[in-house]
Amino acid sequence: MATNEMWNVLVMGFAFMFIFTAFQTTSMIEPTVLESFKNKTPSHDKISGYTSLGIIYSVFTVANWFAPSFIGIFGPRVSMIVGGICYALFIASLIEPYAWSVYLGSVIIGYGASVIWTGQGNFLTINSTPETISRNSGIFWALLQSSLLFGNMYVYYQFKTETNQILDCTLTQLNDKDRELSQNLRASSRNSERRSALESLKTAGKLLLTKDMLLLSLCFAYTGIELTFFSGVYGTCVGNTSHFNQAKRQIGLVGMLIGCGEISGGLLFGIFGKRSTKFGREPIVLLGMISHWICFLLIFFNLPDKSPLNAVQDNVLVVFHQPSLNVAVICGFLLGFGDSCYNTQIYSILGSLYEADSAPAFALFKFFQSLTAAIAFFYSLVLYLKWQLLIMVISSLFGTVGFFLVEWKARRNAQQGYAPIS
C-alpha cells in the first residue's frame, strides 16, 4: 500500500512538473514578452501581461468555490486532467497573441487552476497519512518546482534571439506531456468519499467560518502576494533594469535560481520530513519569513524603484552603488526557498487537520491565495517596488503569526487526544 501511494505522489509530481514547466515559466516572462511583442508588431492589440495574470487569479478566486463540487462529482484524477488541458489552451493562446485570445485563455486557465489544484490537494491527502504528509508534500513540491529550473534554463538560452513564438510553441508541447502522465495516475487504495456538489459547497462555507481557517487564511493570503511577486513582478524588475547586460535574458537565470530555492526547500522538508518537523511546523515557516525579509531588504537596495513598471537605468541606493546581478540571483534563490517553507507546511497542516474535508480545505487555501495574487497583479500596474516590498513584509508577519496560532492549537489537541478537525 505504501508503495502504491508513493507511486501516486511521484507520478502526480512529474505530471505537474510538465504542466508548470510551461505555465510558471510563461507567467514570469509574460509581461516582458508581450510588451516587446507589441512594440515590434504595432498591428497587434495592446495587451498587458499583468492584466492577463490578474484575470487568471481573479477567475481562480471565484472558481475555487465551485472546485470542491467538481471534485466531488468527477474525482481528483479526472479533475487534474481537465485542469491540465486548460493550462495547455492558455499557453497556446500566446503563440500568436491578440487581446481577445490571451484574455479568453486567462479566463479558461483561471477555472482550470481551481480544479487542478483542489484535485491535487485532495489526491495528496488521500495518498498520505499524518505520518507521511510532510514527506509527500516536500517530494511533490520539489518535483513541481523543478519546472522553474528547466523552463527558465530554456528561457535563458532562448532570449539570445528573443523569439517568443518559438518559446511558446515549445512550452505548449511540454504541457501536452501532462495528459500522458495524468492518465497514468493510479487509483488510491483509500478512495475519497464522493459528495454532491451542494454538500461540498456547504462544507467549504462552514470551514471558512471557523477560527482556525480564518487564521490560516492570513498565511494563505501572504503566499498569494509573494506568488505574484516572484512569478511575475521580480522577473519584470530584472528585465527592466538596464544596468544588467542582456537584462531580459537574465529573467531566465533568476527564474532558475528561484526554482533551485524551491527544490532545495522541497527536498529538505520532504526527504528529511520527520527530522525537520521534529519541533513542529512553525520553525520552518519562521525560516521562510526570515529568508524573505532578508531577500526583500536586498531587493530594496539592489533594484531601481521604478523597475516593476518600465525599463530604467536609475542608480540604486548607495549600498551596492549600482544594481548587482549576483545579488539579484541570490534574491531569486531566497524567494524560492522561502516560498517552499510556507507552502510545504501549509500542505502538511491542511492534510493533517482536514483529512476528512481535504477538497474544501485546499479549495479555501487556493481561494485566499488566488484572491490576493489577483489583487497584487493589479496593484503591480501602479505601485513602485518599495511599496510592494512593504506590503509583503507586513502580510508575511500576519501570515506567520496566524499559522503559529493554529499549529500550537493542533499540538495541544494532539497531546490531549483530540481528533483532527473535520
Coordinates of all heavy atoms in Angstrom, one line a residue, residues 134-172:
S134 N 4.0 15.2 5.5 CA 5.1 16.2 5.4 C 6.1 15.7 4.3 O 6.5 16.5 3.4 CB 5.8 16.4 6.7 OG 5.0 17.1 7.6
R135 N 6.4 14.4 4.3 CA 7.3 13.9 3.4 C 6.8 14.0 1.9 O 7.4 14.4 1.0 CB 7.6 12.4 3.7 CG 8.6 11.7 2.7 CD 8.4 10.2 2.8 NE 7.1 9.8 2.3 CZ 6.6 8.6 2.4 NH1 7.3 7.7 3.0 NH2 5.4 8.3 1.9
N136 N 5.5 13.6 1.8 CA 4.9 13.6 0.5 C 4.7 15.0 -0.1 O 4.9 15.3 -1.3 CB 3.5 12.9 0.5 CG 3.7 11.4 0.7 OD1 4.8 10.8 0.6 ND2 2.6 10.7 1.0
S137 N 4.4 16.0 0.8 CA 4.3 17.4 0.4 C 5.6 17.9 -0.1 O 5.7 18.6 -1.1 CB 3.8 18.2 1.6 OG 2.5 17.8 2.0
G138 N 6.7 17.5 0.6 CA 8.0 18.0 0.2 C 8.5 17.4 -1.1 O 9.0 18.1 -2.0
I139 N 8.2 16.1 -1.3 CA 8.6 15.5 -2.6 C 7.8 16.0 -3.7 O 8.4 16.4 -4.8 CB 8.4 13.9 -2.4 CG1 9.4 13.3 -1.5 CG2 8.5 13.3 -3.8 CD1 9.1 11.9 -1.1
F140 N 6.5 16.2 -3.5 CA 5.7 16.8 -4.6 C 6.1 18.2 -4.9 O 6.3 18.6 -6.1 CB 4.2 16.8 -4.2 CG 3.4 17.6 -5.1 CD1 2.9 17.1 -6.3 CD2 3.0 18.9 -4.8 CE1 2.2 17.9 -7.2 CE2 2.2 19.7 -5.6 CZ 1.8 19.2 -6.8
W141 N 6.4 19.0 -3.9 CA 6.8 20.4 -4.1 C 8.2 20.4 -4.9 O 8.3 21.3 -5.8 CB 6.9 21.1 -2.8 CG 7.0 22.6 -2.9 CD1 8.1 23.4 -2.8 CD2 5.9 23.4 -3.3 NE1 7.8 24.7 -3.1 CE2 6.4 24.8 -3.4 CE3 4.6 23.2 -3.6 CZ2 5.6 25.8 -3.7 CZ3 3.8 24.3 -3.9 CH2 4.3 25.6 -4.0
A142 N 9.1 19.6 -4.5 CA 10.4 19.6 -5.2 C 10.2 19.2 -6.7 O 10.8 19.8 -7.6 CB 11.3 18.6 -4.6
L143 N 9.4 18.2 -7.0 CA 9.1 17.8 -8.4 C 8.4 19.0 -9.1 O 8.8 19.3 -10.3 CB 8.3 16.6 -8.4 CG 9.0 15.3 -8.0 CD1 8.0 14.1 -7.9 CD2 10.1 14.9 -9.0
L144 N 7.4 19.5 -8.5 CA 6.7 20.6 -9.1 C 7.6 21.8 -9.5 O 7.6 22.3 -10.6 CB 5.6 21.1 -8.2 CG 4.9 22.5 -8.5 CD1 4.1 22.4 -9.8 CD2 4.0 22.9 -7.3
Q145 N 8.4 22.2 -8.5 CA 9.2 23.4 -8.7 C 10.5 23.1 -9.6 O 11.2 24.1 -10.0 CB 9.6 24.0 -7.4 CG 8.4 24.4 -6.5 CD 7.6 25.5 -7.2 OE1 8.0 26.1 -8.2 NE2 6.4 25.7 -6.7
S146 N 10.7 21.9 -9.9 CA 11.7 21.6 -10.9 C 11.4 22.3 -12.3 O 12.3 22.5 -13.1 CB 11.9 20.1 -11.2 OG 12.3 19.4 -10.0
S147 N 10.1 22.5 -12.5 CA 9.7 23.2 -13.7 C 10.3 24.6 -13.8 O 10.6 25.0 -15.0 CB 8.1 23.4 -13.7 OG 7.7 24.1 -12.5
L148 N 10.5 25.3 -12.7 CA 11.2 26.6 -12.8 C 12.6 26.5 -13.3 O 13.1 27.3 -14.0 CB 11.2 27.2 -11.4 CG 9.9 27.9 -11.0 CD1 9.9 28.3 -9.5 CD2 9.5 29.1 -11.8
L149 N 13.3 25.4 -12.9 CA 14.7 25.2 -13.3 C 14.7 24.9 -14.8 O 15.5 25.5 -15.6 CB 15.3 24.1 -12.5 CG 16.7 23.7 -12.8 CD1 17.6 24.9 -12.5 CD2 17.2 22.5 -12.0
F150 N 13.9 23.9 -15.3 CA 14.0 23.5 -16.7 C 13.5 24.6 -17.6 O 14.1 24.9 -18.6 CB 13.2 22.2 -16.9 CG 13.7 21.1 -16.0 CD1 12.9 20.2 -15.4 CD2 15.1 20.9 -15.9 CE1 13.3 19.2 -14.6 CE2 15.6 19.8 -15.1 CZ 14.7 19.0 -14.4
G151 N 12.3 25.2 -17.3 CA 11.7 26.2 -18.1 C 12.6 27.4 -18.3 O 12.8 27.9 -19.4
N152 N 13.1 27.9 -17.2 CA 13.9 29.1 -17.2 C 15.3 28.9 -17.8 O 15.9 29.8 -18.3 CB 14.0 29.7 -15.8 CG 12.8 30.4 -15.4 OD1 12.4 31.5 -15.9 ND2 12.0 29.8 -14.5
M153 N 15.8 27.6 -17.7 CA 17.0 27.3 -18.4 C 16.8 27.5 -19.9 O 17.7 28.1 -20.6 CB 17.4 25.9 -18.1 CG 18.8 25.5 -18.6 SD 19.2 23.7 -18.2 CE 19.0 23.8 -16.4
Y154 N 15.7 27.1 -20.4 CA 15.4 27.3 -21.8 C 15.2 28.8 -22.2 O 15.7 29.3 -23.2 CB 14.1 26.5 -22.2 CG 13.7 26.6 -23.7 CD1 14.4 25.9 -24.6 CD2 12.7 27.5 -24.1 CE1 14.1 26.0 -25.9 CE2 12.4 27.6 -25.4 CZ 13.1 26.8 -26.3 OH 12.8 26.9 -27.7
V155 N 14.6 29.5 -21.3 CA 14.4 31.0 -21.5 C 15.7 31.7 -21.6 O 16.0 32.5 -22.4 CB 13.5 31.6 -20.4 CG1 13.6 33.1 -20.4 CG2 12.1 31.1 -20.5
Y156 N 16.7 31.3 -20.7 CA 18.0 31.9 -20.6 C 18.7 31.8 -22.0 O 19.3 32.8 -22.4 CB 18.8 31.3 -19.5 CG 20.2 31.9 -19.3 CD1 20.3 33.2 -18.8 CD2 21.3 31.3 -19.7 CE1 21.5 33.8 -18.6 CE2 22.6 31.8 -19.5 CZ 22.7 33.1 -19.0 OH 23.9 33.7 -18.8
Y157 N 18.6 30.7 -22.6 CA 19.3 30.5 -23.9 C 18.4 31.0 -25.0 O 19.0 31.5 -26.0 CB 19.7 29.0 -24.1 CG 20.8 28.6 -23.1 CD1 20.5 27.8 -22.0 CD2 22.1 29.0 -23.3 CE1 21.5 27.4 -21.1 CE2 23.1 28.6 -22.4 CZ 22.8 27.8 -21.4 OH 23.8 27.4 -20.5
Q158 N 17.1 30.9 -24.9 CA 16.2 31.3 -26.0 C 16.3 32.8 -26.2 O 16.2 33.3 -27.3 CB 14.8 30.9 -25.7 CG 13.8 31.2 -26.8 CD 14.2 30.6 -28.2 OE1 14.6 29.4 -28.2 NE2 14.0 31.3 -29.2
F159 N 16.4 33.6 -25.1 CA 16.4 35.0 -25.2 C 17.7 35.6 -25.8 O 17.8 36.8 -26.0 CB 16.2 35.6 -23.8 CG 14.8 36.1 -23.6 CD1 14.0 35.4 -22.7 CD2 14.2 37.1 -24.3 CE1 12.7 35.7 -22.5 CE2 12.9 37.5 -24.1 CZ 12.1 36.8 -23.2
K160 N 18.6 34.8 -26.3 CA 19.6 35.3 -27.1 C 19.1 35.8 -28.4 O 19.6 36.8 -29.0 CB 20.6 34.1 -27.5 CG 21.5 33.7 -26.3 CD 22.4 32.6 -26.7 CE 23.4 32.2 -25.6 NZ 24.3 31.1 -26.0
T161 N 18.0 35.2 -28.9 CA 17.3 35.7 -30.1 C 16.0 36.4 -29.9 O 15.4 37.0 -30.8 CB 17.1 34.5 -31.0 OG1 16.2 33.5 -30.4 CG2 18.4 33.8 -31.4
E162 N 15.5 36.2 -28.6 CA 14.3 36.9 -28.2 C 13.1 36.5 -29.1 O 12.3 37.4 -29.5 CB 14.4 38.4 -28.2 CG 15.5 38.9 -27.2 CD 15.5 40.4 -27.0 OE1 14.6 41.1 -27.5 OE2 16.5 40.8 -26.4
T163 N 13.0 35.3 -29.5 CA 11.9 34.8 -30.4 C 10.9 34.1 -29.5 O 10.9 32.9 -29.3 CB 12.5 33.8 -31.4 OG1 13.6 34.4 -32.1 CG2 11.4 33.5 -32.4
N164 N 9.9 34.9 -29.1 CA 8.9 34.3 -28.1 C 8.0 33.3 -28.7 O 7.4 32.5 -28.1 CB 8.2 35.4 -27.4 CG 7.2 36.1 -28.3 OD1 7.5 36.8 -29.3 ND2 5.9 35.9 -28.0
Q165 N 7.7 33.4 -30.1 CA 6.8 32.4 -30.7 C 7.4 31.0 -30.5 O 6.7 30.1 -30.2 CB 6.5 32.7 -32.2 CG 5.7 34.0 -32.4 CD 6.6 35.1 -32.7 OE1 7.7 35.2 -32.3 NE2 6.1 36.0 -33.6
I166 N 8.7 30.9 -30.8 CA 9.3 29.6 -30.7 C 9.2 29.1 -29.2 O 9.0 27.9 -28.9 CB 10.8 29.6 -31.1 CG1 10.9 30.0 -32.6 CG2 11.5 28.3 -30.8 CD1 12.3 30.2 -33.1
L167 N 9.5 30.0 -28.3 CA 9.4 29.7 -26.9 C 8.0 29.1 -26.5 O 7.9 28.1 -25.9 CB 9.7 30.9 -26.0 CG 9.6 30.8 -24.5 CD1 10.6 29.8 -24.0 CD2 9.7 32.2 -23.9
D168 N 6.9 29.8 -26.9 CA 5.6 29.4 -26.5 C 5.2 28.1 -27.2 O 4.5 27.3 -26.6 CB 4.6 30.5 -26.9 CG 4.7 31.7 -25.9 OD1 5.0 31.4 -24.7 OD2 4.5 32.8 -26.3
C169 N 5.6 27.9 -28.5 CA 5.3 26.6 -29.1 C 6.0 25.5 -28.4 O 5.4 24.4 -28.2 CB 5.8 26.7 -30.6 SG 4.8 27.7 -31.7
T170 N 7.2 25.6 -28.0 CA 7.9 24.6 -27.3 C 7.3 24.3 -25.9 O 7.1 23.2 -25.5 CB 9.4 25.0 -27.0 OG1 10.0 25.3 -28.3 CG2 10.2 23.9 -26.4
L171 N 6.9 25.4 -25.2 CA 6.3 25.2 -23.9 C 4.9 24.5 -24.0 O 4.5 23.7 -23.1 CB 6.1 26.5 -23.2 CG 7.5 27.2 -22.8 CD1 7.2 28.6 -22.2 CD2 8.2 26.3 -21.8
T172 N 4.2 24.8 -25.1 CA 2.9 24.1 -25.3 C 3.1 22.6 -25.5 O 2.4 21.8 -25.0 CB 2.2 24.7 -26.5 OG1 2.1 26.1 -26.3 CG2 0.8 24.1 -26.7

